[in-house]
Amino acid sequence: MNEKGLNTLEYQKVKQQIQAFISTESGQEEVNGLKPMIDLEKIQKDLDETQDAVKILRLRGGIPLPQLVNVKPHMKRLDMGASLNGKELAAVGRVLRTTNEIKLFFKDLADSEIELVRLFDWIDKLENLPDISRRLNQSIENDGHITDEASPVLHNIRQNILRSESAIRAKLQEFTRGKSAKYLSEALITIRNERYVIPVKAEYRGQFGGAVHDQSATGQTLFIEPQAIVEMNNRLREQQLAQADEERRILAELSELIAPFTAEILENAYILGHFDFVNAKAQYASSIKATEPTISVENDIFLRQARHPLLDSKKVVANDIMLGKDYQAIVVTGPNTGGKTITLKTLGLIQMMGQSGLNIPTSEGSRIGIFEDIFADIGDEQSIEQSLSTFSAHMTNIVSILANINDRSLVLFDELGAGTDPQEGAALAISILDAVGAKGSYTVATTHYPELKAYGFNRAGTINASMEFDSVTLQPTYRLLIGIPGRSNAFDISRKIGLDSAIVDQAQSLTDQDSQDLNEMISDLMSKRKEAEDEALALQVQLTDATKLHDDLAKEYGDFVTQRESMTNKAKEKANDIVADAEIDADKIIKKIRQMQITQGQAIKEHELIDAKSQLSQMHQPTDALKKNKVLQRAKSKQEFRVNDDVLVKTYGQQGVLVKKMSKTEWEVQLGILKMKISEDDLQKVHVESDKKDRTVFKNAASTSTSTSLDLRGQRYDDAMSQVDQYIDSVLLAGYASVTIVHGKGTGALRTGITDYLKANRHVKSFEFAAPNAGGNGATIVHFK
């Protein structure tokens, strides 16, 4: 694509909007390199990936990716034999940790049977490297700090440093808190030149002995290392140097550990960046309400309700734009500020977006073409530096365009031929359009010249269009009307604003008859179009009503069939009960007859008795046939969950109400004061009598099995906080008055996080640490309202 066309249509601004959703430096590189493509397979592949990401965004909220820096320079240094510092190793660790998390995320998508077209193919290319990832996570924190667990030697050195610092501070506190405090400017302990010192008044510099390491700006305070701690400071400094040596050794060891896997790490980083890129495309598509286009290799463009992506979607007027099937050129006429230029830019920019693998701001079912280049001559091209007028600048640009177009080019002209004598400008415009058409290029041109309206009628493969103008309000509606040329509204506007009718009538008499006839023809066309649109709208209303009636009848018929089959089944079961009773009675009678035959010697034939009994047995009605009834099965399949249905959540044994459907298989359910996202598999419809104001609450073993305590010791912060959130929901449903959360003492980060969470939870009445013999500040007791 030519850079001028990209700049004119503001393609770079679309890329800037996508960048707002990027979280990795590698993804940022992909956005920077984004540009329209001409290879059909590559375009379709990128569109498929975008659509996969859109589905993930809709079902799971997007692909979870943290902020990741570019590790290419780090890998290059490793390949050269250098060692990485703590921050660089932390960046590599984040890449490996994110790799594992993304693999698990996509495994969950696969287990949930979520179908994706392209993105699953990338997962097999990710390398986990679990041993390296575990070692980095153990040794390096996110900010690059080396942990105590990086090596036993480092752990011991740091313990010695802590003891030495504690001893030095204890010794110096004897000076700051004892009788010697009067010699100090302030009762504090500080550090100068990496050695502990105290601020001594200059006149008492010899009071403590030792060395002076600094002085205040006034010179009245000296920062002195007392003689009593010189040896202690020396020992501390030796320990600090040993720590630095051990840290360098650890960094070198970790660098050597990952050096053989630089190719795998780079590939992981690239794939994560690519996931970030497609995730950003999906988020951008959601923000502008974009849809996936289909691709027409014949360049049959059909943009349904197209909107300019850089304008507010709530204010911009959407238009249908067609090009390429019945015509390859459109001549758009109409008044200034009517939306002609925006329509040109909308077509060009949307086509560029589609060829870049992006979803486009149109309604479903839109098509784009594939153009080798898109040229645009739009806006004021005047150049003071080159001494070019607007007309000359436009013609210079047009000459360049005509030299580079072919039958796979899209050309957009704004105000073609403007800036010169109208008669000459119109002639030039017609000649330029003929030259573009001769090369087979696709063209959309805007103009004010009435001569081009006739051109649109007379030239094959060319059609007129205009921007609609409301003759009542005398305001543009910004709607594109394909097939109708724009008409002049000067006389109508003049009358509307109060110009003397005699003046307007005289002006009309001065215009040639052809112009008046053309305007009348345009007015007639617009009137007929309005009638056709009104008729189509009426037919659409009738079709909607008919469709609704058909659906209602189908539903009622299904209910009727279900009820009929149910009643038939009950009748057959009742008949079978009657026949069973009759058979019992018949058996008694037959037994009695046989006894009579024996006692009285009467001749009754046995086969007659068997035939009579068989006839009774045949009166049984088969009920299992209902299981094979397809109509009934279809009726049952329609018993779906609906908003406001009463349901039982099996896991919690609680009854709730369906609020809204979150996805194909999940609903938001109101459970008392809580709203939860529940899978359909965990829901069961229940019937609630309409006259009951209070809903019945069901409890099962699941609700009573919730423990009154939660043990989080040994867990990572994020996992622990997630468990706390789920646990609080469970105990609220179970109705517990208080519970205990065991978090341990550790660094205190988890305890602080849980405290902040409990403070923000409006269902928590109060909380406090456990008694000293029950865990102290390693456990928190929570009381609920």
Side-chain angles (χ1 to χ4, degrees):
M1 293 286 173
N2 66 93
E3 287 297 324
K4 185 172 180 58
L6 293 171
N7 293 333
T8 300
L9 296 174
E10 299 178 293
Y11 180 77
Q12 190 63 31
K13 289 186 178 181
V14 172
K15 293 169 62 172
Q16 290 172 358
Q17 290 184 337
I18 298 173
Q19 287 170 352
F21 302 101
I22 288 291
S23 59
T24 69
E25 291 185 8
S26 183
Q28 181 69 56
E29 288 183 356
E30 286 210 48
V31 176
N32 293 338
L34 183 66
K35 61 182 180 181
M37 300 167 287
I38 60 175
D39 182 81
L40 172 61
E41 291 186 3
K42 185 67 171 69
I43 296 172
Q44 189 59 60
K45 174 179 173 295
D46 283 13
L47 286 173
D48 290 341
E49 290 186 346
T50 302
Q51 201 60 20
D52 282 349
V54 167
K55 179 182 288 188
I56 294 173
L57 179 65
R58 185 179 70 253
L59 298 179
R60 297 297 173 85
I63 304 173
L65 285 162
Q67 296 284 339
L68 297 175
V69 301
N70 185 7
V71 297
K72 287 182 182 178
H74 311 338
M75 297 301 100
K76 186 174 181 179
R77 289 182 56 211
L78 285 177
D79 290 337
M80 296 171 61
S83 295
L84 303 183
N85 60 37
K87 290 186 177 181
E88 292 169 338
L89 287 170
V92 175
R94 280 194 295 273
V95 169
L96 294 178
R97 185 166 60 252
T98 304
T99 297
N100 183 56
E101 292 169 353
I102 290 298
K103 286 180 75 73
L104 292 175
F105 175 78
F106 275 88
K107 182 181 183 300
D108 179 62
L109 293 180
D111 292 342
S112 301
E113 297 183 352
I114 295 176
E115 296 183 1
L116 301 177
V117 180
R118 299 280 185 180
L119 291 186
F120 278 136
D121 297 339
W122 289 95
I123 295 301
D124 293 336
K125 300 177 182 178
L126 288 172
E127 291 289 343
N128 261 351
L129 305 179
D131 294 336
I132 297 177
S133 180
R134 190 180 307 109
R135 179 70 190 282
L136 288 175
N137 292 338
Q138 176 188 0
S139 304
I140 306 292
E141 296 181 350
N142 284 334
D143 60 358
H145 175 71
I146 301 175
T147 67
D148 291 354
E149 291 75 22
S151 78
V153 173
L154 181 62
H155 181 270
N156 291 333
I157 292 174
R158 288 181 174 175
Q159 290 298 314
N160 292 334
I161 288 175
L162 289 175
R163 284 191 287 269
S164 295
E165 289 178 336
S166 178
I168 292 173
R169 286 182 175 275
K171 186 64 177 177
L172 291 178
Q173 284 174 356
E174 295 178 4
F175 300 132
T176 59
R177 296 178 181 177
K179 296 180 180 179
S180 300
K182 62 185 178 182
Y183 304 119
L184 306 180
S185 299
E186 292 182 79
L188 62 82
I189 301 170
T190 185
I191 295 176
R192 290 293 188 275
N193 298 328
E194 299 181 353
R195 298 178 77 85
Y196 280 90
V197 296
I198 53 177
V200 180
K201 296 177 183 178
E203 59 267 29
Y204 301 115
R205 64 182 301 164
Q207 185 67 33
F208 300 96
V212 177
H213 288 278
D214 198 2
Q215 68 178 11
S216 65
T218 61
Q220 295 179 0
T221 299
L222 302 177
F223 294 93
I224 295 176
E225 176 187 7
Q227 184 62 40
I229 67 163
V230 169
E231 186 58 35
M232 299 170 69
N233 263 337
N234 290 340
R235 184 165 57 253
L236 173 62
R237 185 58 186 151
E238 291 174 357
Q239 293 167 346
Q240 290 172 339
L241 293 174
Q243 175 183 245
D245 289 340
E246 179 62 12
E247 287 177 347
R248 281 192 294 271
R249 187 197 67 78
I250 291 171
L251 294 177
E253 180 183 358
L254 293 175
S255 298
E256 292 177 1
L257 180 65
I258 65 177
F261 303 97
T262 55
E264 290 84 350
I265 294 171
L266 282 174
E267 179 71 3
N268 286 352
Y270 169 75
I271 294 172
L272 294 177
H274 187 67
F275 280 141
D276 185 32
F277 172 59
V278 297
N279 195 53
K281 290 197 295 181
Q283 291 178 291
Y284 175 62
S286 176
S287 70
I288 63 172
K289 297 179 175 60
T291 63
E292 180 185 18
T294 58
I295 303 174
S296 169
V297 293
E298 296 83 12
N299 284 346
D300 174 15
I301 300 173
F302 177 38
L303 306 180
R304 298 182 65 248
Q305 295 297 288
R307 309 176 307 277
H308 195 285
L310 302 179
L311 298 180
D312 187 346
S313 60
K314 297 180 180 178
K315 298 179 180 179
V316 68
V317 176
N319 280 302
D320 291 342
I321 304 176
M322 292 81 73
L323 181 67
K325 183 176 182 181
D326 300 320
Y327 41 84
Q328 284 189 227
I330 303 176
V331 177
V332 186
T333 53
N336 286 330
T337 70
K340 300 191 301 296
T341 302
I342 287 296
T343 301
L344 279 184
K345 289 185 174 182
T346 299
L347 169 61
L349 187 53
I350 285 180
Q351 182 62 47
M352 286 179 173
M353 290 174 64
Q355 287 188 230
S356 302
L358 301 173
N359 283 6
I360 59 177
T362 63
S363 295
E364 295 283 352
S366 295
R367 293 189 303 274
I368 61 170
I370 301 179
F371 295 102
E372 293 180 1
D373 215 334
I374 298 176
F375 299 90
D377 181 59
I378 299 174
D380 187 359
E381 300 287 339
Q382 186 175 25
S383 174
I384 297 176
E385 293 180 358
Q386 299 180 20
S387 300
L388 294 176
S389 66
T390 298
F391 175 76
S392 298
H394 276 293
M395 291 310 299
T396 299
N397 192 29
I398 290 171
V399 168
S400 174
I401 290 173
L402 293 176
N404 291 283
I405 59 175
N406 56 29
D407 60 349
R408 305 294 294 181
S409 299
L410 173 62
V411 186
L412 307 173
F413 292 120
D414 189 29
E415 299 298 344
L416 184 59
T420 187
D421 177 78
Q423 187 174 0
E424 293 180 354
L428 274 172
I430 292 172
S431 297
I432 290 169
L433 289 176
D434 281 342
V436 173
K439 293 193 175 184
S441 300
Y442 296 72
T443 316
V444 181
T446 69
T447 181
H448 278 103
Y449 297 135
E451 292 85 351
L452 267 72
K453 300 174 185 178
Y455 177 88
F457 276 110
N458 298 328
R459 289 297 192 275
T462 304
I463 193 170
N464 278 307
S466 62
M467 305 307 297
E468 187 181 51
F469 189 86
D470 191 328
S471 59
V472 177
T473 63
L474 299 181
Q475 294 292 327
T477 66
Y478 307 105
R479 291 182 59 210
L480 177 66
L481 305 178
I482 299 290
I484 299 178
R487 62 177 293 240
S488 173
N489 296 282
F491 296 144
D492 293 336
I493 295 173
S494 299
R495 281 196 178 93
K496 188 78 173 180
I497 63 178
L499 186 64
D500 193 318
S501 296
I503 298 175
V504 176
D505 292 341
Q506 182 181 3
Q508 282 185 306
S509 67
L510 295 174
T511 59
D512 59 59
Q513 189 61 39
D514 289 341
S515 296
Q516 294 188 40
D517 291 344
L518 180 59
N519 280 331
E520 289 174 2
M521 178 192 69
I522 294 171
S523 179
D524 183 58
L525 282 171
M526 294 182 69
S527 176
K528 290 182 178 179
R529 178 190 178 97
K530 182 68 167 58
E531 293 176 3
E533 288 180 345
D534 291 343
E535 183 177 353
L537 182 60
L539 290 173
Q540 183 61 44
V541 172
Q542 294 178 13
L543 177 60
T544 302
D545 292 342
T547 302
K548 184 177 183 302
L549 179 60
H550 175 271
D551 293 342
D552 291 343
L553 287 174
K555 181 179 182 301
E556 292 296 333
Y557 177 73
D559 294 342
F560 164 73
V561 171
T562 303
Q563 187 177 12
R564 182 186 66 186
E565 296 295 341
S566 178
M567 293 178 67
T568 302
N569 188 36
K570 290 180 180 179
K572 289 180 179 180
E573 289 177 352
K574 188 172 182 180
N576 289 339
D577 292 340
I578 295 173
V579 172
D581 293 340
E583 283 183 333
I584 294 173
D585 293 339
D587 286 338
K588 292 180 180 178
I589 294 171
I590 292 172
K591 184 178 181 180
K592 186 176 182 180
I593 291 173
R594 286 174 175 165
Q595 289 176 349
M596 290 172 60
Q597 182 181 15
I598 295 172
T599 58
Q600 301 178 11
Q602 296 179 2
I604 298 176
K605 297 179 180 180
E606 184 68 24
H607 72 274
E608 292 177 352
L609 295 174
I610 294 174
D611 289 342
K613 188 171 182 179
S614 297
Q615 290 177 6
L616 286 172
S617 298
Q618 290 173 2
M619 294 176 65
H620 277 287
Q621 299 295 323
T623 59
D624 58 349
L626 293 176
K627 298 179 181 178
K628 301 178 181 178
N629 190 303
K630 294 183 178 179
V631 175
L632 182 59
Q633 289 178 351
R634 287 196 297 269
K636 288 182 178 178
S637 67
K638 294 182 180 179
Q639 302 302 311
E640 300 175 346
F641 292 107
R642 294 178 176 84
V643 174
N644 294 326
D645 278 355
D646 296 283
V647 293
L648 176 67
V649 181
K650 301 174 186 177
T651 299
Y652 300 111
Q654 299 289 331
Q655 184 176 314
V657 180
L658 298 183
V659 178
K660 63 180 177 180
K661 193 161 188 177
M662 305 298 290
S663 67
K664 289 183 178 180
T665 60
E666 292 180 316
W667 283 84
E668 184 180 81
V669 183
Q670 183 80 43
L671 291 169
I673 60 174
L674 299 177
K675 285 184 180 179
M676 301 182 69
K677 188 165 70 174
I678 306 294
S679 171
E680 281 189 355
D681 295 338
D682 199 21
L683 297 176
Q684 176 183 331
K685 274 192 175 183
V686 296
H687 176 70
V688 177
E689 296 295 334
S690 60
D691 59 346
K692 291 184 180 178
K693 296 181 179 179
D694 298 326
R695 299 185 180 274
T696 304
V697 177
F698 297 93
K699 290 189 177 181
N700 62 9
S703 63
T704 59
S705 64
T706 303
S707 176
T708 57
S709 65
L710 174 65
D711 192 346
L712 302 173
R713 289 174 295 183
Q715 298 195 30
R716 294 177 59 186
Y717 179 85
D718 292 339
D719 295 337
M721 292 306 300
S722 177
Q723 285 195 39
V724 169
D725 190 42
Q726 296 177 11
Y727 178 68
I728 294 299
D729 287 343
S730 299
V731 298
L732 285 172
L733 288 174
Y736 292 158
S738 63
V739 295
T740 301
I741 301 176
V742 181
H743 43 68
K745 299 179 180 179
T747 62
L750 181 55
R751 178 175 63 241
T752 301
I754 292 173
T755 299
D756 293 341
Y757 171 87
L758 295 175
K759 287 179 180 178
N761 193 310
R762 60 189 179 90
H763 301 296
V764 175
K765 180 179 180 181
S766 63
F767 58 92
E768 71 274 353
F769 292 135
N773 61 350
N777 62 357
T780 299
I781 300 175
V782 186
H783 304 282
F784 300 101
K785 296 179 180 178

